[in-house]
Amino acid sequence: MQRVTHMTNIKIAPSILAADFARLDDEIKDVLDAGADYIHLDVMDGQFVPNLSMGVPVVRSIRNAFPEAFLDVHLMIVQPRNMVEAFARAGASHITVHLEADTPENIAQALRIARDHGVRTGLSLKPATPASALEGWLEDLDMVLVMTVEPGFGAQRFMTDQLDKVRAVRRMLDAAHPACDVEVDGGIKPDTAPAAIAAGANVLVAGSAVFGSGDYAAVIKQLRGE
Ligand code: DX5
Ligand code: ZN
C-alpha cells in the first residue's frame, strides 16, 4: 500500500519572541486565525542563554486570554525542575527543557513533574549536543526539539549542519517511539522549512519569518509546504 504523508501533518508554532509585545493579544489572535497550530513561548533566564525574555506571568495571561490555544513552552533556563510546576500551573500545554540545563537526574525529575501535572514534555538539544545524547530518554517524551540555531536570540541563520541530527533523531524515534514529534527551532523560513521537513521534522517553530511578514496566513501556508 502506498504511504500517504499529508501536508497537514506539519504543525506550525509561531514564536512570540518576534511578536510586537505591546500588542501581544492581537498578535496571538492573528496568528491563530492565520492557521498557527501552536503558540511557541521562549523562556530565557540570562544564564542558560545570554538573553532574558518572558516568564510565568506571561504564560498565565496568555492562557487566560486564549483558553483553547496549545502553549508550547520552551524553557531555556538552568535547573528547570525548579520552575516546571509554576509553568504547568500557569497553563502550559507542553514544556520542553534542555538536556544541557542540569544533571540527568534533575532533568528526569523536571520531566516527571511536568507529566504529573498533565503537561506534555519535550527534550531539547543545543547544536553541539549529538543525537546520541538522547539514548535512554526517548520512550517517555512527546517531542524532541532540535535547535537549528544557538539558542538565545531570534532571527539567526538556520544551521544546515543540524539536518543530520534531525535525521538521526527521527531514525532513533522510529525505532523506539514513533509517536514522538520532532520540532526544529531557529532560522525556519519558507526556504529552509522544506529541508527540515524532509529530514523528519514535523513541528516547525518560526519567529521572524511569521511575525516579520505582512501576511501571517500566507507564510504559515508556505512553511507547511502548501
Ligand atoms: C531561539 C528561540 C527561537 C526563536 C526563533 O533561542 O528558541 O524560538 O524565537 O526565532 P527565528 O524563527 O526568528 O529564528
Ligand atoms: Zn524556541
Side-chain angles (χ1 to χ4, degrees):
M1 212 169 75
Q2 203 189 346
R3 189 166 156 217
V4 182
T5 43
H6 203 264
M7 307 282 199
T8 51
N9 286 336
I10 304 299
K11 290 191 163 34
I12 306 299
S15 163
I16 59 164
L17 193 61
D20 179 352
F21 277 54
R23 305 178 42 252
L24 200 48
D25 184 62
D26 284 340
E27 291 276 62
I28 293 172
K29 211 173 288 157
D30 288 349
V31 283
L32 290 172
D33 287 348
D37 299 284
Y38 297 169
I39 298 298
H40 185 83
L41 297 100
D42 287 306
V43 176
M44 305 182 184
D45 67 350
Q47 273 197 78
F48 184 73
V49 292
N51 197 7
L52 286 169
S53 57
M54 62 192 84
V56 171
V58 176
V59 175
R60 188 182 304 121
S61 294
I62 294 174
R63 170 53 73 219
N64 289 339
F66 299 92
E68 306 294 330
F70 187 98
L71 304 185
D72 171 24
V73 176
H74 177 192
L75 296 184
M76 285 163 276
I77 64 175
V78 295
Q79 300 179 341
R81 75 169 172 161
N82 298 338
M83 292 302 297
V84 162
E85 178 170 357
F87 281 102
R89 288 188 186 279
S93 311
H94 174 104
I95 295 178
T96 294
V97 300
H98 270 267
L99 188 55
E100 307 90 350
D102 206 338
T103 63
E105 294 73 25
N106 291 350
I107 293 298
Q109 201 188 341
L111 295 171
R112 215 173 304 124
I113 295 167
R115 276 183 214 114
D116 287 348
H117 284 80
V119 174
R120 287 168 39 112
T121 58
L123 202 51
S124 182
L125 303 180
K126 289 166 73 167
T129 307
S132 59
L134 291 169
E135 273 158 32
W137 288 95
L138 299 176
E139 281 73 9
D140 296 326
L141 296 174
D142 299 291
M143 188 150 85
V144 171
L145 166 51
V146 177
M147 290 305 301
T148 44
V149 297
E150 209 52 69
F153 299 91
Q156 302 182 74
R157 205 188 164 86
F158 179 78
M159 298 170 69
T160 38
D161 63 354
Q162 296 302 304
L163 288 169
D164 281 343
K165 194 196 293 180
V166 174
R167 269 185 284 273
V169 168
R170 187 64 263 172
R171 250 196 321 268
M172 289 166 74
L173 286 171
D174 284 344
H177 182 21
C180 186
D181 293 321
V182 178
E183 183 176 56
V184 283
D185 184 2
I188 301 293
K189 307 197 176 310
D191 65 338
T192 52
I197 293 170
N202 68 307
V203 183
L204 309 186
V205 177
S208 49
V210 172
F211 288 104
S213 85
D215 187 342
Y216 298 169
V219 177
I220 287 172
K221 263 199 184 126
Q222 285 169 22
L223 290 169
R224 258 191 242 285
E226 284 170 7

